[in-house]
Amino acid sequence: MSPVLIFAGNDYLTQIVTRILVYGILVLSVEMSWGQTGIFTFGQAALFGVGGYATGLIATKANITDIFILIGLALIIGIAIGMLISLFLFSGRRVGELYVALVTLALSYICERLANSWTFLGSGNGVPGIPYPSIFGHSLGSNIQVFYLVLVIFILLMLLCFYIVNSQFGLTMNAVRDDEERAEFFGYKRPRVQIFTFILCAALASIAGCLFAVSEGLVSPSMSGLALSTTTVLWVVLGGRGTLFGPLIAMAVLQIFNTEMQNVLPSLWPILIGIMLLLTMVFLPKGLSSIPNIIKSKREVKTL
Amino acid sequence: MSVKRNLLEVKNVTKKFGSLIAVNNASLHISENEILGLLGPNGSGKSTMLHAICGRNLPTSGEITLFDQEITMKNPTARAAAGMAIKFQLARIYLDKTVRENILISLQAKESFFKQIRSATLKKHEEKIRELATEFQLIDYLHLPAKQLSHGQQQWLEISMAVAVNPVLLLLDEPTAGMSPAERKETAVLIKKASQHAGILIVEHDLDFIKELCDRISVMHYGEIVASGTPQEIESNPKVREVYLTRV
């Protein structure tokens, strides 16, 4: 089956669910860095794009389809870039959240421009025709098989994040998020905490990018751009910063509506999302997942 | 007779903010197990002095040594590693975290990441946490978020977090601000107990609280240390009476 057929294929739903899982890994990376450690990053889409393009180019130009090799190479490149940026941002004195946001935003912008203009990267067309991946020489031949592959990796990574957040290191991440300076006075090596977390999140985003490439069969400049960067942050804001599941649910719901609404209200839908974001930030600063807690505390006040 | 080692030595520290000289050529020292009170009215430079010692604002000139190791320009993390712990004037604890988590945040600060990641549950250090919480009367609140504690309890929590890591030097910035007289008395006992293992610097503007507690007191005024001595000497010092006591 050629990659073009994937988009025209009849198992449309499989595609959507697979994409939700891939974005799930991406949103985990934003939640781990911003939600848990307070690194306000707009750069996850850039690293997502790096992972995707690395996979796309290697798969099409070098004809390598083994998923472990593809993920491994995407990881190496993603981690290397993540390390460079985090060393630049965090190894010195404390920098503000806005500074981090601007630098990572610029990174996304650069990546999108580069993908758009560099012919090696396919310019505006991106890299089409990425073949199905293979595992141990056995080629996956359908969307549903790719879906199972993505599902397994998603579950493994989610368990990993869940484990880290609930370990003592999770508390360290939160200590840095809630008061960087205080954490330093306790003796935390704040730069190392931030660099370690950023690299971990770069790894997550590049794995997501790799899976995006093999499941969609196409990578394009928009996957590393400002729009996706902003969207990832939006998922975390809507779902609730500091919770692992809130952003995942927000992303899934938005993705499901996305495809429908883009057909029904193509011009109004982005505006609606913007309004939703504003309302959430003003009235529910801790996201939609904080609603149960708010109801609970209102009830407690009433019983008093 | 055992000779007590000099723990903290602050020599000729000056801190300028533009043309304003907040601390002018000030020196002090603390020996092991000694409690030093740094007294002065608001704006006398005692907070700036404390910030120079803890590494929050580096001094313009001068030298600070801890156990003969120069730390003048070291960052707070390095100072914590050298055995310094601090309680800020307004309790800087993690309000959304529980009391147990707060104490654990302090206890695990110097552990390696891999050790932290390997420890899947937060049950580690439980014994030490319970011991501290009992001492600081927080044992019934271990599971509560710190923001639900009373003002005095929050101060105690921060002191317990500072004491948790067995520091050699403990810096306390107005440890009893906003406490009831009973809580103050209790705090004095806790500080006295902590001094068995550490040298302590208390920054205060209230002479009554520290004259009972401190071995020595230094008085600051307009950025300079105008008097140093035992509480009795300080109380009877005419210069101190003139610049400080009469204004209270």
Side-chain angles (χ1 to χ4, degrees):
Chain A
M1 206 197 289
S2 84
V4 182
L5 277 179
I6 293 175
F7 293 102
N10 46 19
D11 43 3
Y12 180 61
L13 197 66
T14 315
Q15 277 266 310
I16 292 184
V17 177
T18 310
R19 192 181 301 166
I20 286 176
L21 292 177
V22 170
Y23 282 157
I25 301 171
L26 183 62
V27 80
L28 275 179
S29 86
V30 180
E31 166 55 25
M32 290 291 277
S33 68
W34 187 41
Q36 298 294 332
T37 321
I39 302 169
F40 192 18
T41 171
F42 276 98
Q44 293 319 99
L47 293 153
F48 183 68
V50 165
Y53 268 85
T55 304
L57 289 172
I58 292 162
T60 52
K61 301 210 166 164
N63 269 328
I64 293 172
T65 56
D66 188 291
I67 190 67
F68 295 113
I69 298 178
L70 290 176
I71 288 183
L73 291 171
L75 259 181
I76 291 170
I77 300 172
I79 286 175
I81 294 178
M83 198 183 289
L84 277 178
I85 299 161
S86 57
L87 282 173
F88 170 72
L89 279 175
F90 304 119
S91 56
R93 295 174 64 94
R94 282 190 306 277
V95 291
E97 209 175 44
L98 264 182
Y99 180 80
V100 175
L102 282 176
V103 170
T104 49
L105 196 68
L107 177 77
S108 280
Y109 182 71
I110 292 168
C111 284
E112 189 176 16
R113 296 290 304 193
L114 210 62
N116 250 320
S117 52
W118 196 0
T119 45
F120 177 69
L121 299 179
S123 304
N125 297 325
V127 182
I130 301 166
Y132 277 124
S134 61
I135 299 179
F136 303 124
H138 169 75
S139 183
L140 301 181
S142 69
N143 282 344
I144 195 79
Q145 287 181 333
V146 175
F147 162 76
Y148 284 125
L149 170 76
V150 174
L151 181 68
V152 168
I153 296 174
F154 169 77
I155 289 174
L156 287 177
L157 292 176
M158 206 185 69
L159 288 176
L160 176 76
C161 291
F162 191 76
Y163 174 84
I164 291 178
V165 165
N166 288 293
S167 74
Q168 271 184 265
F169 188 71
L171 199 56
T172 296
M173 291 160 82
N174 292 173
V176 169
R177 173 193 66 192
D178 294 345
D179 195 337
E180 275 181 49
E181 193 188 31
R182 190 65 181 106
E184 288 184 358
F185 280 106
F186 280 124
Y188 283 100
K189 296 188 172 89
R190 188 264 318 155
R192 284 200 205 171
V193 179
Q194 287 171 324
I195 291 169
F196 182 85
T197 312
F198 196 88
I199 292 174
L200 176 78
C201 295
L204 286 173
S206 55
I207 292 176
C210 172
L211 293 177
F212 183 86
V214 296
S215 62
E216 304 274 328
L218 167 89
V219 292
S220 63
S222 66
M223 80 175 280
S224 65
L226 296 179
L228 184 59
S229 283
T230 323
T231 313
T232 55
V233 173
L234 176 114
W235 291 332
V236 175
V237 172
L238 280 178
R241 222 185 127 193
T243 61
L244 276 185
F245 295 106
L248 280 174
I249 293 166
M251 179 274 301
V253 171
L254 273 184
Q255 278 300 306
I256 291 165
F257 275 105
N258 214 4
T259 31
E260 278 306 305
M261 295 304 276
Q262 267 173 354
N263 295 329
V264 184
L265 301 164
S267 52
L268 207 60
W269 178 235
I271 300 173
L272 279 177
I273 290 189
I275 293 172
M276 243 182 335
L277 179 64
L278 271 177
L279 290 178
T280 314
M281 284 172 117
V282 172
F283 295 107
L284 288 170
K286 286 186 175 167
L288 296 175
S289 60
S290 65
I291 291 178
N293 280 336
I294 293 172
I295 295 172
K296 205 175 131 201
S297 62
K298 283 238 167 94
R299 273 199 195 139
E300 273 168 14
V301 170
K302 265 186 195 162
T303 51
L304 281 175
Chain B
M1 191 185 113
S2 69
V3 179
K4 281 190 175 172
R5 278 202 294 167
N6 229 357
L7 182 65
L8 177 81
E9 177 95 54
V10 178
K11 261 192 246 161
N12 310 106
V13 161
T14 297
K15 176 68 189 178
K16 292 179 189 168
F17 294 105
S19 61
L20 175 83
I21 301 172
V23 174
N24 188 10
N25 205 22
S27 301
L28 56 83
H29 65 92
I30 300 175
S31 320
E32 284 176 289
N33 312 111
E34 187 183 36
I35 306 179
L36 175 74
L38 188 59
L39 189 71
N42 288 330
S44 60
K46 58 190 195 309
S47 280
T48 310
M49 185 72 165
L50 184 81
H51 289 166
I53 296 171
C54 76
R56 199 172 184 197
N57 281 321
L58 298 176
T60 314
S61 67
E63 194 185 78
I64 302 168
T65 52
L66 185 66
F67 274 138
D68 301 325
Q69 183 194 350
E70 212 209 304
I71 56 162
T72 318
M73 294 295 162
K74 291 264 171 70
N75 61 34
T77 306
R79 286 174 203 235
M84 200 183 270
I86 185 166
K87 181 227 157 284
F88 288 94
Q89 188 176 345
L90 298 166
R92 273 177 85 174
I93 50 180
Y94 291 93
L95 292 172
D96 290 327
K97 297 283 175 198
T98 63
V99 170
R100 173 183 279 114
E101 285 168 334
N102 265 287
I103 300 177
L104 185 56
I105 282 176
S106 171
L107 281 172
Q108 68 170 21
K110 293 161 197 167
E111 283 176 5
S112 79
F113 294 169
F114 292 102
K115 206 172 162 194
Q116 290 180 7
I117 290 178
R118 273 211 311 273
S119 150
T121 61
L122 301 180
K123 290 277 175 254
K124 243 181 105 199
H125 304 293
E126 187 64 23
E127 211 170 296
K128 177 87 182 161
I129 290 173
R130 297 194 77 86
E131 184 190 314
L132 279 161
T134 310
E135 197 180 330
F136 285 85
Q137 303 177 13
L138 294 166
I139 191 76
D140 296 333
Y141 312 108
L142 276 178
H143 61 284
L144 277 190
K147 63 182 166 201
Q148 290 183 16
L149 297 179
S150 75
H151 187 80
Q153 287 169 331
Q154 290 188 353
Q155 305 265 49
W156 280 346
L157 175 58
E158 198 179 22
I159 299 174
S160 76
M161 289 163 79
V163 173
V165 291
N166 299 325
V168 292
L169 176 67
L170 189 56
L171 307 172
L172 301 172
D173 197 352
E174 308 206 2
T176 61
M179 280 188 186
S180 68
E183 285 173 328
R184 279 171 164 241
K185 233 178 218 164
E186 191 58 40
T187 308
V189 174
L190 292 168
I191 292 174
K192 197 84 194 170
K193 200 173 164 203
S195 74
Q196 291 167 3
H197 313 285
I200 299 180
L201 175 68
I202 304 177
V203 172
E204 260 292 351
H205 56 253
D206 180 2
L207 178 62
D208 287 334
F209 175 68
I210 58 174
K211 74 179 181 197
E212 302 288 324
L213 191 57
C214 294
D215 301 308
R216 281 187 305 116
I217 294 174
S218 289
V219 181
M220 281 191 89
H221 191 56
Y222 290 127
E224 286 176 31
I225 291 187
V226 290
S228 287
T230 63
Q232 293 74 30
E233 286 167 0
I234 291 297
E235 257 193 313
S236 54
N237 185 318
K239 200 169 175 192
V240 174
R241 297 189 81 89
E242 183 196 322
V243 301
Y244 184 70
L245 296 175
T246 51
R247 303 190 348 171
V248 176

